[in-house]
Amino acid sequence: MSGVRQGSILSPRLFTVLINIVIVKLRDGGAFCSINNIFIGCVLYADNIIVLSATVSGLQEMLNICNKTIMDMDLSFNCKKSVCIRFGPVCKYPITDMYIDSSTITWCNSIIYLIVNIESSSCFKVDTDIARRKFFASCNAILSNSVHKAELLSLHLMEDYSLPILLYCVAAIKFTDTQLKALNACWNMAFLKIFGFHRWESVKTFICDLGHLDKYYVIFVYCVHYCAVEVSVVVFVCLSVCLPVCLSVCLDLCCILSS
């Protein structure tokens, strides 16, 4: 959105108050996605807004609600930075553009949200190629500046600065087996470069002898840590619902509105 002064310490608080009105209006509008009667049709991180809908008409209705609510507050959406993306079995079929007032919001095949490259597909799918390229660029920068340094120092630097690039959001996204193998190959390649192994040599045992974990186990540790942080929330939800619930959600459409 535009109209909020950036840099002021008061701006985030004012923005939170105003954007909460939009969420309430969307929730009361009726055309929304929900899980166990909990509204999930609007997801926010800072000023990045995701509007979720299972139908095209429902999505346009939500955009109309957003536009009217924002205009009542003398604000406006930046439609040039807003795009639509869809998921589900009908994602390949042509569809009309969405509108905010008289501005068009087009459909795209991929978006970057919070540094994650999300692709339009029959199911929720992310592209790991960008993360892999950034990982190799970071590793090459470390290796080029540590030519005469100890190998373990280079490894320590890569664990601190390069590995987090591969581990970004791994606890929140379910990767395919192919993607996990590709990410693990990246981490193995780092050991090959640091310690001078040939490309056809396996470093799995060597990594274990060093007292380190390969990518599969590192991801597992991150997921366990993430679950440990969220355990209080999980217990609260279980106590509130009282019965175990197994849900499978497939969202056909979602619209990204960002400032």
Side-chain angles (χ1 to χ4, degrees):
M1 293 192 302
S2 58
V4 179
R5 181 181 295 277
Q6 297 186 1
S8 171
I9 60 174
L10 186 60
S11 293
R13 297 183 181 274
L14 293 176
F15 178 81
T16 302
V17 173
L18 294 177
I19 204 63
N20 186 66
I21 300 175
V22 178
I23 300 175
V24 173
K25 292 288 186 179
L26 288 172
R27 184 192 61 189
D28 297 339
F32 55 76
C33 297
S34 64
I35 297 179
N36 196 32
N37 294 324
I38 298 176
F39 174 67
I40 61 166
C42 185
V43 182
L44 292 92
Y45 184 86
D47 59 350
N48 295 305
I49 309 172
I50 299 180
V51 178
L52 301 173
S53 176
T55 63
V56 178
S57 59
L59 178 60
Q60 185 59 64
E61 183 179 346
M62 296 180 75
L63 294 180
N64 294 337
I65 294 174
C66 290
N67 183 52
K68 184 180 183 304
T69 306
I70 290 299
M71 289 182 66
D72 291 342
M73 295 185 289
D74 263 345
L75 298 174
S76 63
F77 284 108
N78 189 343
C79 295
K80 294 181 179 180
K81 295 184 179 179
S82 302
V83 295
C84 295
I85 188 171
R86 49 186 173 162
F87 307 96
V90 296
C91 67
K92 295 182 179 180
Y93 291 93
I95 194 171
T96 57
D97 292 332
M98 300 289 100
Y99 294 91
I100 291 184
D101 200 9
S102 59
S103 301
T104 303
I105 303 179
T106 58
W107 296 90
C108 63
N109 295 323
S110 65
I111 60 170
I112 297 179
Y113 182 74
L114 302 181
I115 322 179
V116 179
N117 189 28
I118 304 173
E119 295 183 335
S120 177
S121 179
S122 58
C123 59
F124 185 81
K125 181 181 179 181
V126 297
D127 183 12
T128 58
D129 290 343
I130 296 178
R132 291 164 58 194
R133 288 195 295 267
K134 290 182 178 180
F135 171 78
F136 283 127
S138 176
C139 290
N140 290 334
I142 292 174
L143 291 174
S144 63
N145 289 279
S146 58
V147 177
H148 302 293
K149 306 296 182 182
E151 291 87 349
L152 291 178
L153 176 61
S154 299
L155 177 60
H156 180 72
L157 291 173
M158 288 187 184
E159 288 179 328
D160 286 345
Y161 296 101
S162 303
L163 185 58
I165 299 175
L166 288 182
L167 295 177
Y168 183 76
C169 76
V170 294
I173 296 177
K174 180 177 175 57
F175 293 103
T176 63
D177 292 338
T178 302
Q179 289 176 326
L180 288 176
K181 289 180 181 179
L183 295 176
N184 189 58
C186 292
W187 186 228
N188 290 343
M189 186 65 67
F191 282 87
L192 293 176
K193 290 291 185 180
I194 294 173
F195 296 97
F197 286 92
H198 297 290
R199 293 177 63 90
W200 60 85
E201 293 181 286
S202 174
V203 294
K204 184 175 181 179
T205 304
F206 179 75
I207 294 175
C208 183
D209 291 339
L210 284 178
H212 292 260
L213 300 174
D214 65 9
K215 189 68 168 54
Y216 291 108
Y217 292 103
V218 172
I219 292 176
F220 175 76
V221 170
Y222 266 66
C223 293
V224 170
H225 176 71
Y226 176 81
C227 293
V229 172
E230 299 295 329
V231 67
S232 59
V233 178
V234 173
V235 171
F236 174 76
V237 171
C238 290
L239 291 176
S240 300
V241 176
C242 297
L243 293 175
V245 179
C246 180
L247 298 173
S248 177
V249 180
C250 180
L251 299 175
D252 290 326
L253 302 165
C254 79
C255 176
I256 305 300
L257 297 178
S258 60
S259 64

